[in-house]
């Protein structure tokens, strides 16, 4: 009998000894970046997509982290943002994302839609975007209403990209709209967020963030923690809206490779997400906002440090093995096979290779198909989906005219009051530019929302009943006048 053959464009993969028996659940993915599949030639674009999913299926991978948005432009039709230049800055005559989902699902592969929320425009571009709809024109560094991160001298961040500032409420509202547009229109299996952070520790001192640090800081956080709280809120609100629409859809992110450089002996000299980018991914898991992290542990197992096994073990100890899939740089078939084994030994959610092109060129897919991925396996189902124990409260703060109120301080309590101050009841958010707020991990039962805004009495909502596995919705009216809004 001839061994199975997968025809993948110019590449022919021949795998022998494969079994159809199912292995235990394990996330087996590759990042497929926006530099690997799009083309201005529609037929080439289609062929690239088919080849990618044929290759992944032949390797017994079960998921693709498939990039569809890079710099406030898209690789799918959108009324919110323009087409990416990577696909010709125009409609290619078909829907690439719908086609990719179709090709993935035909082969039993999940498609996790991979978006960059914060980059506005790469510095490598020498001219502005052609499409006047691009947010660079309305909110770029030289616009009348900039949304970009700046340093203490008000100079825009120039860290590979111009970055949106998470401390500007309109930025968060726009990003949520973009994500939810994808969730509502497409049968994606997950939302994956990359570059969900500040560009560096020197940012952002934009006027809106500086003002809001004083006026919209109900927990009196210091500057670094307030910056972290802005991204925490964005991630929390995205997760709540996604799950309210599609409870089974998974939310994940590319986490900076080292969470806290002081956690592991010998790592104090390395950069860490928590300190250098205000990215508190472990807090996102505690909030219940992340189904799993994919830390970018782009180092091998051997010294010198950092080491893949040590860093992955730190993430597992911090958020739990079921919330971590090891993100691996492609080194060699031997190295990546061993890293998959380490992920299994630590009982992690799975593994992901960065990136598809490198894994294909260096023979990693062929190797894992013969060894660690010799049997097909399903993607694990998180306990949140399989047996939900808590619910979601999704709300909006409005004024007497029904207009959204931004920066009302919002908390929740068990209906009827009481002194319960742990978990979600010890949490406070500020309402967004669209008045939006959300609470995850809410125990079932009636709760009340408490909304505070300077100059008006506190408002306590009527009881809202929360059910496990479902999203309850509430609108809270606060009597805010135009004068108070401008104060």
């Amino acid at each position: 009998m001839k061994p199975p053959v997968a025809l993948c464009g110019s590449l022919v993969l021949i795998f022998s000894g494969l079994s159809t028996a199912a292995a235990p659940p394990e996330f087996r993915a590759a990042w497929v970046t926006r530099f690997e599949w799009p083309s201005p030639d529609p037929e080439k674009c289609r062929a690239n997509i088919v080849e990618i999913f044929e290759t992944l299926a032949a390797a017994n991978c079960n998921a693709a982290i498939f990039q569809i948005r890079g710099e406030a432009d898209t690789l799918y039709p959108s009324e919110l943002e323009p087409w990416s230049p990577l696909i010709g800055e125009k409609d290619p005559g078909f829907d690439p994302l719908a086609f990719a989902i179709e090709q993935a699902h035909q082969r039993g592969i999940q498609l996790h839609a991979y978006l960059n929320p914060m980059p506005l425009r790469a510095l490598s571009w020498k001219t502005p975007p052609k499409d006047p709809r691009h947010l660079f024109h309305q909110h770029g560094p030289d616009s009348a209403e900039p949304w970009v991160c700046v340093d203490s001298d008000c100079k825009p961040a120039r860290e590979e990209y111009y970055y949106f500032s998470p401390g500007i409420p309109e930025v968060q509202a726009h990003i949520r709209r973009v994500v939810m547009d994808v969730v509502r229109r497409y049968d994606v299996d997950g939302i994956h967020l990359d570059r969900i952070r500040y560009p560096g520790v020197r940012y952002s001192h934009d006027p809106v963030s500086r003002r809001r640090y004083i006026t919209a800081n109900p927990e009196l956080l210091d500057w670094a923690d307030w910056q972290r709280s802005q991204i925490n809120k964005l991630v929390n609100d995205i997760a709540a809206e996604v799950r309210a629409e599609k409870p089974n859809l998974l939310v994940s992110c590319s986490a900076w490779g080292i969470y806290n450089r002081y956690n592991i002996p010998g790592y104090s000299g390395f950069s860490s997400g928590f300190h250098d980018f205000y990215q508190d991914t472990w807090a996102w898991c505690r909030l219940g906002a992340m189904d799993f992290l994919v830390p970018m542990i782009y180092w091998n197992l051997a010294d010198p440090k950092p080491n893949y096994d040590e860093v992955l073990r730190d993430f597992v100890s911090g958020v739990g093995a079921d919330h971590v899939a090891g993100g691996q740089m492609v080194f060699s078939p031997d190295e990546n096979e061993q890293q998959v084994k380490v992920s299994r030994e630590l009982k992690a959610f799975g593994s992901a290779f960065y990136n598809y092109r490198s894994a294909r060129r260096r023979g990693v897919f062929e190797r894992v198909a013969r060894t660690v991925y010799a049997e097909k396996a399903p993607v694990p189902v998180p306990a949140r989906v399989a047996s939900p124990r808590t619910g979601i409260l999704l709300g909006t703060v409005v004024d007497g005219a029904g207009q959204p109120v931004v920066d009302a301080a919002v908390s929740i309590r068990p209906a009827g009051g009481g002194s319960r101050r742990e978990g979600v009841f010890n949490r406070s958010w500020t309402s967004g530019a669209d008045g939006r707020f959300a609470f995850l991990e809410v125990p079932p039962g009636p709760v009340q929302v408490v909304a505070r805004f300077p100059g008006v009495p506190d408002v306590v909502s009527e009881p809202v009943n929360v059910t496990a596995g479902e999203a309850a919705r509430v609108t809270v009216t606060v009597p805010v006048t135009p004068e108070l809004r401008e104060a």
Side-chain angles (χ1 to χ4, degrees):
M1 179 182 294
K2 292 183 179 180
V5 177
L7 298 176
C8 302
S10 60
L11 175 68
V12 178
L13 305 181
I14 302 178
F15 303 147
S16 61
L18 302 189
S19 168
T20 58
E26 175 185 43
F27 187 72
R28 302 173 176 178
W31 277 281
V32 184
T33 73
R34 68 190 189 278
F35 305 111
E36 297 177 87
W37 67 266
S39 170
D41 178 346
E43 292 310 309
K44 175 61 175 173
C45 188
R46 286 178 184 268
N48 289 344
I49 292 170
V50 171
E51 178 182 291
I52 286 165
F53 287 106
E54 285 185 348
T55 304
L56 293 177
N60 285 334
C61 291
N62 56 23
I65 302 172
F66 192 85
Q67 190 167 27
I68 62 169
R69 180 182 188 266
E71 307 163 40
D73 51 27
T74 68
L75 293 160
Y76 60 92
S78 170
E79 294 185 357
L80 300 174
E81 295 180 326
W83 286 98
S84 166
L86 297 174
I87 207 162
E89 292 185 285
K90 65 182 186 301
D91 190 332
F94 75 108
D95 186 331
L97 177 53
F99 182 72
I101 293 168
E102 175 188 87
Q103 295 300 309
H105 289 177
Q106 283 179 2
R107 295 166 175 81
I109 295 172
Q110 291 190 357
L111 188 144
H112 293 243
Y114 156 18
L115 304 94
N116 283 353
M118 308 318 299
L120 169 62
R121 183 73 167 170
L123 300 181
S124 57
W125 293 104
K126 303 305 180 185
T127 58
K130 293 180 181 177
D131 195 315
R133 293 187 305 147
H134 197 289
L135 289 177
F136 186 86
H137 296 291
Q138 289 81 39
H139 300 292
D142 299 321
S143 66
E145 188 183 358
W147 284 359
V148 298
C149 286
V150 300
D151 62 18
S152 57
D153 294 325
C154 291
K155 294 181 179 178
R158 298 182 62 84
E159 306 290 340
E160 190 176 354
Y161 297 92
Y162 293 111
Y163 270 70
F164 287 122
S165 171
I168 298 176
E170 289 78 9
V171 166
Q172 297 202 22
H174 177 76
I175 292 168
R176 284 190 281 105
R177 283 194 295 270
V178 169
V179 171
M180 291 309 300
D181 179 55
V182 172
V183 169
R184 293 188 178 108
R185 292 169 51 212
Y186 293 98
D187 187 24
V188 296
D189 301 284
I191 290 294
H192 183 87
L193 307 173
D194 190 13
R195 293 186 182 269
I196 181 71
R197 56 178 176 83
Y198 282 82
V201 74
R202 297 187 294 126
Y203 312 101
S204 174
H205 295 270
D206 59 272
V208 174
S209 292
R210 295 303 307 182
R211 173 182 57 78
R212 293 186 64 244
Y213 172 63
I214 303 300
T215 63
N217 187 1
E219 296 180 327
L220 301 179
L221 302 173
D222 66 22
W223 176 244
D225 282 338
W226 186 85
Q227 298 254 89
R228 294 183 189 104
S229 76
Q230 300 308 297
I231 309 180
N232 293 354
K233 173 178 167 55
L234 174 59
V235 172
N236 176 86
D237 291 355
I238 287 173
E241 292 199 31
V242 166
R243 291 170 188 166
E245 187 73 23
K246 294 182 178 178
N248 294 347
L249 196 149
L250 304 186
V251 177
S252 63
C253 75
S254 298
W256 194 257
I258 297 171
Y259 168 71
N260 183 332
R261 56 176 163 261
Y262 302 112
N263 283 356
I264 312 172
Y267 280 68
S268 61
F270 298 113
S271 65
S272 56
F274 182 87
H275 297 98
D276 297 298
F277 302 99
Y278 302 123
Q279 187 190 65
D280 193 351
T281 53
W282 291 16
W284 304 348
C285 291
R286 290 193 295 270
L287 289 169
M290 278 288 141
D291 288 303
F292 61 100
L293 308 175
V294 192
M296 299 175 289
I297 312 175
Y298 294 163
W299 305 288
N300 59 15
L301 291 161
D303 284 334
K305 299 181 185 301
N307 306 120
Y308 178 84
D309 54 336
E310 293 180 338
V311 176
L312 182 61
R313 187 174 291 108
D314 183 55
F315 272 91
V316 166
S317 68
V319 301
D322 56 342
H323 289 295
V324 185
Q328 304 174 14
M329 177 70 76
V330 170
F331 289 96
S332 68
D334 289 343
E335 175 68 25
N336 289 105
E337 178 185 337
Q338 292 306 311
Q339 291 192 10
V340 170
K341 290 179 178 178
V342 167
S343 297
R344 287 178 176 172
E345 289 168 3
L346 294 174
K347 303 185 185 305
F349 192 79
S351 299
F353 302 127
Y354 185 84
N355 51 36
Y356 164 80
R357 181 179 292 160
S358 296
R360 179 175 175 271
R361 287 177 174 173
R362 298 187 183 184
V364 171
F365 289 131
E366 293 97 322
R367 170 64 68 82
V368 297
R370 293 195 301 266
T371 57
V372 288
Y373 291 174
E375 299 174 341
K376 293 185 181 297
V379 172
V381 178
R384 173 191 67 78
V385 174
S387 53
R389 297 183 179 180
T390 60
I392 298 168
L393 184 63
L394 195 62
T396 306
V397 180
V398 299
D399 63 16
Q403 295 302 304
V405 173
V406 63
D407 282 340
V410 183
S411 59
I412 62 173
R413 70 186 191 189
S419 59
R420 189 171 175 182
R421 296 297 295 166
E422 73 275 5
V424 70
F425 298 111
N426 195 36
R427 199 167 292 151
S428 178
W429 297 114
T430 51
S431 55
D434 50 2
R436 181 53 52 86
F437 65 89
F439 291 88
L440 298 164
E441 303 285 289
V442 183
V447 299
Q448 291 174 293
V449 177
V450 181
R452 298 179 171 88
F453 195 90
V456 301
D458 291 356
V459 174
V460 180
S461 75
E462 293 296 318
V464 182
N465 194 58
V466 176
T467 303
E470 298 182 8
R473 298 176 185 269
V474 62
T475 299
V476 182
T477 301
V478 177
V480 178
T481 64
E483 292 75 21
L484 289 173
R485 284 179 182 270
E486 297 172 3

